[in-house]
PDB file of all heavy atoms in Angstrom:
ATOM      1  N   PHE A   1       0.844  -1.180   0.000  1.00 33.00           N
ATOM      2  CA  PHE A   1       0.000   0.000   0.000  1.00 33.00           C
ATOM      3  C   PHE A   1       0.886   1.239   0.000  1.00 33.00           C
ATOM      4  O   PHE A   1       1.535   1.531   0.980  1.00 33.00           O
ATOM      5  CB  PHE A   1      -0.916   0.000   1.235  1.00 33.00           C
ATOM      6  CG  PHE A   1      -1.598  -1.317   1.420  1.00 33.00           C
ATOM      7  CD1 PHE A   1      -1.205  -2.153   2.432  1.00 33.00           C
ATOM      8  CD2 PHE A   1      -2.569  -1.727   0.546  1.00 33.00           C
ATOM      9  CE1 PHE A   1      -1.813  -3.384   2.595  1.00 33.00           C
ATOM     10  CE2 PHE A   1      -3.175  -2.944   0.707  1.00 33.00           C
ATOM     11  CZ  PHE A   1      -2.796  -3.774   1.733  1.00 33.00           C
ATOM     12  N   LEU A   2       0.892   1.927  -1.105  1.00 33.00           N
ATOM     13  CA  LEU A   2       1.639   3.169  -1.187  1.00 33.00           C
ATOM     14  C   LEU A   2       0.701   4.348  -0.893  1.00 33.00           C
ATOM     15  O   LEU A   2       1.018   5.223  -0.120  1.00 33.00           O
ATOM     16  CB  LEU A   2       2.280   3.295  -2.561  1.00 33.00           C
ATOM     17  CG  LEU A   2       3.269   2.164  -2.880  1.00 33.00           C
ATOM     18  CD1 LEU A   2       3.800   2.344  -4.288  1.00 33.00           C
ATOM     19  CD2 LEU A   2       4.401   2.134  -1.894  1.00 33.00           C
ATOM     20  N   GLY A   3      -0.489   4.330  -1.525  1.00 38.00           N
ATOM     21  CA  GLY A   3      -1.537   5.292  -1.188  1.00 38.00           C
ATOM     22  C   GLY A   3      -1.051   6.716  -1.125  1.00 38.00           C
ATOM     23  O   GLY A   3      -0.209   7.154  -1.898  1.00 38.00           O
ATOM     24  N   ARG A   4      -1.593   7.443  -0.155  1.00 37.00           N
ATOM     25  CA  ARG A   4      -1.205   8.833   0.008  1.00 37.00           C
ATOM     26  C   ARG A   4       0.162   8.920   0.653  1.00 37.00           C
ATOM     27  O   ARG A   4       0.660   7.970   1.240  1.00 37.00           O
ATOM     28  CB  ARG A   4      -2.258   9.550   0.863  1.00 37.00           C
ATOM     29  CG  ARG A   4      -3.614   9.616   0.176  1.00 37.00           C
ATOM     30  CD  ARG A   4      -4.638  10.269   1.055  1.00 37.00           C
ATOM     31  NE  ARG A   4      -4.851   9.510   2.290  1.00 37.00           N
ATOM     32  CZ  ARG A   4      -5.788   9.822   3.182  1.00 37.00           C
ATOM     33  NH1 ARG A   4      -6.571  10.867   2.972  1.00 37.00           N
ATOM     34  NH2 ARG A   4      -5.930   9.107   4.262  1.00 37.00           N
ATOM     35  N   SER A   5       0.746  10.097   0.612  1.00 40.00           N
ATOM     36  CA  SER A   5       2.114  10.239   1.085  1.00 40.00           C
ATOM     37  C   SER A   5       2.216  10.314   2.599  1.00 40.00           C
ATOM     38  O   SER A   5       3.264  10.047   3.166  1.00 40.00           O
ATOM     39  CB  SER A   5       2.733  11.512   0.484  1.00 40.00           C
ATOM     40  OG  SER A   5       1.967  12.651   0.868  1.00 40.00           O
ATOM     41  N   ASP A   6       1.098  10.667   3.290  1.00 40.00           N
ATOM     42  CA  ASP A   6       1.214  10.847   4.737  1.00 40.00           C
ATOM     43  C   ASP A   6       1.240   9.556   5.530  1.00 40.00           C
ATOM     44  O   ASP A   6       1.991   9.446   6.496  1.00 40.00           O
ATOM     45  CB  ASP A   6       0.099  11.773   5.251  1.00 40.00           C
ATOM     46  CG  ASP A   6      -1.277  11.386   4.753  1.00 40.00           C
ATOM     47  OD1 ASP A   6      -1.345  10.718   3.698  1.00 40.00           O
ATOM     48  OD2 ASP A   6      -2.251  11.748   5.405  1.00 40.00           O
ATOM     49  N   PRO A   7       0.424   8.496   5.206  1.00 41.00           N
ATOM     50  CA  PRO A   7       0.524   7.274   6.014  1.00 41.00           C
ATOM     51  C   PRO A   7       1.805   6.509   5.688  1.00 41.00           C
ATOM     52  O   PRO A   7       2.361   6.642   4.596  1.00 41.00           O
ATOM     53  CB  PRO A   7      -0.721   6.473   5.604  1.00 41.00           C
ATOM     54  CG  PRO A   7      -1.587   7.424   4.849  1.00 41.00           C
ATOM     55  CD  PRO A   7      -0.652   8.391   4.225  1.00 41.00           C
ATOM     56  N   PRO A   8       2.288   5.700   6.613  1.00 39.00           N
ATOM     57  CA  PRO A   8       3.494   4.901   6.342  1.00 39.00           C
ATOM     58  C   PRO A   8       3.187   3.804   5.354  1.00 39.00           C
ATOM     59  O   PRO A   8       2.047   3.411   5.172  1.00 39.00           O
ATOM     60  CB  PRO A   8       3.848   4.327   7.722  1.00 39.00           C
ATOM     61  CG  PRO A   8       2.537   4.256   8.434  1.00 39.00           C
ATOM     62  CD  PRO A   8       1.764   5.459   7.967  1.00 39.00           C
ATOM     63  N   ARG A   9       4.235   3.306   4.723  1.00 38.00           N
ATOM     64  CA  ARG A   9       4.099   2.173   3.808  1.00 38.00           C
ATOM     65  C   ARG A   9       3.758   0.926   4.618  1.00 38.00           C
ATOM     66  O   ARG A   9       4.430   0.598   5.589  1.00 38.00           O
ATOM     67  CB  ARG A   9       5.408   1.973   3.046  1.00 38.00           C
ATOM     68  CG  ARG A   9       5.387   0.760   2.116  1.00 38.00           C
ATOM     69  CD  ARG A   9       6.754   0.617   1.469  1.00 38.00           C
ATOM     70  NE  ARG A   9       6.807  -0.600   0.674  1.00 38.00           N
ATOM     71  CZ  ARG A   9       7.155  -0.619  -0.599  1.00 38.00           C
ATOM     72  NH1 ARG A   9       7.425   0.495  -1.227  1.00 38.00           N
ATOM     73  NH2 ARG A   9       7.221  -1.759  -1.254  1.00 38.00           N
ATOM     74  N   ILE A  10       2.718   0.232   4.186  1.00 36.00           N
ATOM     75  CA  ILE A  10       2.256  -0.970   4.884  1.00 36.00           C
ATOM     76  C   ILE A  10       2.166  -2.083   3.873  1.00 36.00           C
ATOM     77  O   ILE A  10       1.730  -1.868   2.744  1.00 36.00           O
ATOM     78  CB  ILE A  10       0.885  -0.732   5.550  1.00 36.00           C
ATOM     79  CG1 ILE A  10       0.984   0.426   6.556  1.00 36.00           C
ATOM     80  CG2 ILE A  10       0.377  -1.983   6.234  1.00 36.00           C
ATOM     81  CD1 ILE A  10      -0.346   0.794   7.179  1.00 36.00           C
ATOM     82  N   SER A  11       2.571  -3.263   4.256  1.00 36.00           N
ATOM     83  CA  SER A  11       2.486  -4.404   3.344  1.00 36.00           C
ATOM     84  C   SER A  11       1.827  -5.560   4.058  1.00 36.00           C
ATOM     85  O   SER A  11       1.889  -5.681   5.271  1.00 36.00           O
ATOM     86  CB  SER A  11       3.877  -4.832   2.843  1.00 36.00           C
ATOM     87  OG  SER A  11       4.635  -5.315   3.910  1.00 36.00           O
ATOM     88  N   CYS A  12       1.175  -6.411   3.283  1.00 40.00           N
ATOM     89  CA  CYS A  12       0.594  -7.622   3.853  1.00 40.00           C
ATOM     90  C   CYS A  12       0.764  -8.748   2.862  1.00 40.00           C
ATOM     91  O   CYS A  12       0.780  -8.533   1.660  1.00 40.00           O
ATOM     92  CB  CYS A  12      -0.873  -7.430   4.210  1.00 40.00           C
ATOM     93  SG  CYS A  12      -1.948  -7.225   2.781  1.00 40.00           S
ATOM     94  N   THR A  13       0.907  -9.940   3.379  1.00 41.00           N
ATOM     95  CA  THR A  13       1.094 -11.127   2.556  1.00 41.00           C
ATOM     96  C   THR A  13       0.011 -12.128   2.880  1.00 41.00           C
ATOM     97  O   THR A  13      -0.139 -12.521   4.039  1.00 41.00           O
ATOM     98  CB  THR A  13       2.476 -11.765   2.812  1.00 41.00           C
ATOM     99  OG1 THR A  13       3.478 -10.811   2.533  1.00 41.00           O
ATOM    100  CG2 THR A  13       2.668 -12.991   1.932  1.00 41.00           C
ATOM    101  N   ALA A  14      -0.754 -12.528   1.886  1.00 44.00           N
ATOM    102  CA  ALA A  14      -1.799 -13.515   2.119  1.00 44.00           C
ATOM    103  C   ALA A  14      -1.177 -14.874   2.368  1.00 44.00           C
ATOM    104  O   ALA A  14      -0.200 -15.239   1.716  1.00 44.00           O
ATOM    105  CB  ALA A  14      -2.725 -13.599   0.906  1.00 44.00           C
ATOM    106  N   PRO A  15      -1.675 -15.639   3.318  1.00 44.00           N
ATOM    107  CA  PRO A  15      -1.106 -16.965   3.592  1.00 44.00           C
ATOM    108  C   PRO A  15      -1.292 -17.893   2.411  1.00 44.00           C
ATOM    109  O   PRO A  15      -2.351 -17.945   1.803  1.00 44.00           O
ATOM    110  CB  PRO A  15      -1.900 -17.444   4.816  1.00 44.00           C
ATOM    111  CG  PRO A  15      -3.172 -16.661   4.784  1.00 44.00           C
ATOM    112  CD  PRO A  15      -2.819 -15.340   4.189  1.00 44.00           C
ATOM    113  N   THR A  16      -0.263 -18.624   2.082  1.00 44.00           N
ATOM    114  CA  THR A  16      -0.345 -19.606   1.004  1.00 44.00           C
ATOM    115  C   THR A  16      -0.817 -20.935   1.571  1.00 44.00           C
ATOM    116  O   THR A  16      -0.855 -21.145   2.785  1.00 44.00           O
ATOM    117  CB  THR A  16       1.038 -19.805   0.360  1.00 44.00           C
ATOM    118  OG1 THR A  16       1.925 -20.335   1.347  1.00 44.00           O
ATOM    119  CG2 THR A  16       1.588 -18.484  -0.162  1.00 44.00           C
ATOM    120  N   LEU A  17      -1.172 -21.872   0.676  1.00 41.00           N
ATOM    121  CA  LEU A  17      -1.587 -23.193   1.130  1.00 41.00           C
ATOM    122  C   LEU A  17      -0.463 -23.889   1.888  1.00 41.00           C
ATOM    123  O   LEU A  17      -0.701 -24.600   2.856  1.00 41.00           O
ATOM    124  CB  LEU A  17      -2.036 -24.035  -0.064  1.00 41.00           C
ATOM    125  CG  LEU A  17      -3.308 -23.553  -0.767  1.00 41.00           C
ATOM    126  CD1 LEU A  17      -3.593 -24.455  -1.966  1.00 41.00           C
ATOM    127  CD2 LEU A  17      -4.490 -23.554   0.189  1.00 41.00           C
ATOM    128  N   GLY A  18       0.797 -23.644   1.427  1.00 47.00           N
ATOM    129  CA  GLY A  18       1.924 -24.261   2.118  1.00 47.00           C
ATOM    130  C   GLY A  18       2.069 -23.757   3.540  1.00 47.00           C
ATOM    131  O   GLY A  18       2.279 -24.530   4.482  1.00 47.00           O
ATOM    132  N   SER A  19       1.940 -22.417   3.737  1.00 49.00           N
ATOM    133  CA  SER A  19       2.073 -21.877   5.079  1.00 49.00           C
ATOM    134  C   SER A  19       0.908 -22.308   5.962  1.00 49.00           C
ATOM    135  O   SER A  19       1.069 -22.528   7.160  1.00 49.00           O
ATOM    136  CB  SER A  19       2.154 -20.351   5.028  1.00 49.00           C
ATOM    137  OG  SER A  19       0.946 -19.794   4.550  1.00 49.00           O
ATOM    138  N   MET A  20      -0.303 -22.444   5.376  1.00 50.00           N
ATOM    139  CA  MET A  20      -1.446 -22.922   6.145  1.00 50.00           C
ATOM    140  C   MET A  20      -1.220 -24.351   6.627  1.00 50.00           C
ATOM    141  O   MET A  20      -1.560 -24.710   7.759  1.00 50.00           O
ATOM    142  CB  MET A  20      -2.709 -22.824   5.302  1.00 50.00           C
ATOM    143  CG  MET A  20      -3.141 -21.397   5.001  1.00 50.00           C
ATOM    144  SD  MET A  20      -4.452 -21.323   3.782  1.00 50.00           S
ATOM    145  CE  MET A  20      -5.781 -22.130   4.663  1.00 50.00           C
ATOM    146  N   ALA A  21      -0.640 -25.187   5.759  1.00 55.00           N
ATOM    147  CA  ALA A  21      -0.341 -26.561   6.158  1.00 55.00           C
ATOM    148  C   ALA A  21       0.702 -26.580   7.266  1.00 55.00           C
ATOM    149  O   ALA A  21       0.606 -27.372   8.213  1.00 55.00           O
ATOM    150  CB  ALA A  21       0.147 -27.359   4.949  1.00 55.00           C
ATOM    151  N   MET A  22       1.711 -25.704   7.166  1.00 60.00           N
ATOM    152  CA  MET A  22       2.723 -25.653   8.209  1.00 60.00           C
ATOM    153  C   MET A  22       2.122 -25.142   9.516  1.00 60.00           C
ATOM    154  O   MET A  22       2.547 -25.545  10.594  1.00 60.00           O
ATOM    155  CB  MET A  22       3.887 -24.761   7.764  1.00 60.00           C
ATOM    156  CG  MET A  22       4.689 -25.331   6.609  1.00 60.00           C
ATOM    157  SD  MET A  22       5.192 -27.048   6.879  1.00 60.00           S
ATOM    158  CE  MET A  22       6.180 -26.888   8.358  1.00 60.00           C
ATOM    159  N   ASN A  23       1.131 -24.229   9.449  1.00 76.00           N
ATOM    160  CA  ASN A  23       0.442 -23.800  10.656  1.00 76.00           C
ATOM    161  C   ASN A  23      -0.230 -24.982  11.346  1.00 76.00           C
ATOM    162  O   ASN A  23      -0.197 -25.106  12.568  1.00 76.00           O
ATOM    163  CB  ASN A  23      -0.609 -22.734  10.317  1.00 76.00           C
ATOM    164  CG  ASN A  23       0.029 -21.386  10.049  1.00 76.00           C
ATOM    165  OD1 ASN A  23       1.203 -21.186  10.318  1.00 76.00           O
ATOM    166  ND2 ASN A  23      -0.742 -20.468   9.508  1.00 76.00           N
ATOM    167  N   ARG A  24      -0.853 -25.843  10.559  1.00 84.00           N
ATOM    168  CA  ARG A  24      -1.487 -27.030  11.137  1.00 84.00           C
ATOM    169  C   ARG A  24      -0.443 -27.943  11.762  1.00 84.00           C
ATOM    170  O   ARG A  24      -0.664 -28.508  12.844  1.00 84.00           O
ATOM    171  CB  ARG A  24      -2.276 -27.784  10.062  1.00 84.00           C
ATOM    172  CG  ARG A  24      -3.550 -27.081   9.632  1.00 84.00           C
ATOM    173  CD  ARG A  24      -4.458 -28.037   8.872  1.00 84.00           C
ATOM    174  NE  ARG A  24      -3.805 -28.562   7.681  1.00 84.00           N
ATOM    175  CZ  ARG A  24      -3.852 -27.978   6.496  1.00 84.00           C
ATOM    176  NH1 ARG A  24      -4.502 -26.831   6.341  1.00 84.00           N
ATOM    177  NH2 ARG A  24      -3.253 -28.525   5.448  1.00 84.00           N
TER     178      ARG A  24
END
């Protein structure tokens, strides 16, 4: 998220099937 210049840069990563399996 780059968006407007005033908020900080924020990133998010959606969990993959592999990471979901490792969570289990």
Side-chain angles (χ1 to χ4, degrees):
F1 312 107
L2 299 177
R4 295 178 298 186
S5 59
D6 49 337
R9 177 183 175 126
I10 301 176
S11 65
C12 68
T13 302
T16 63
L17 293 178
S19 65
M20 292 170 65
M22 292 310 300
N23 284 348
R24 288 196 300 271

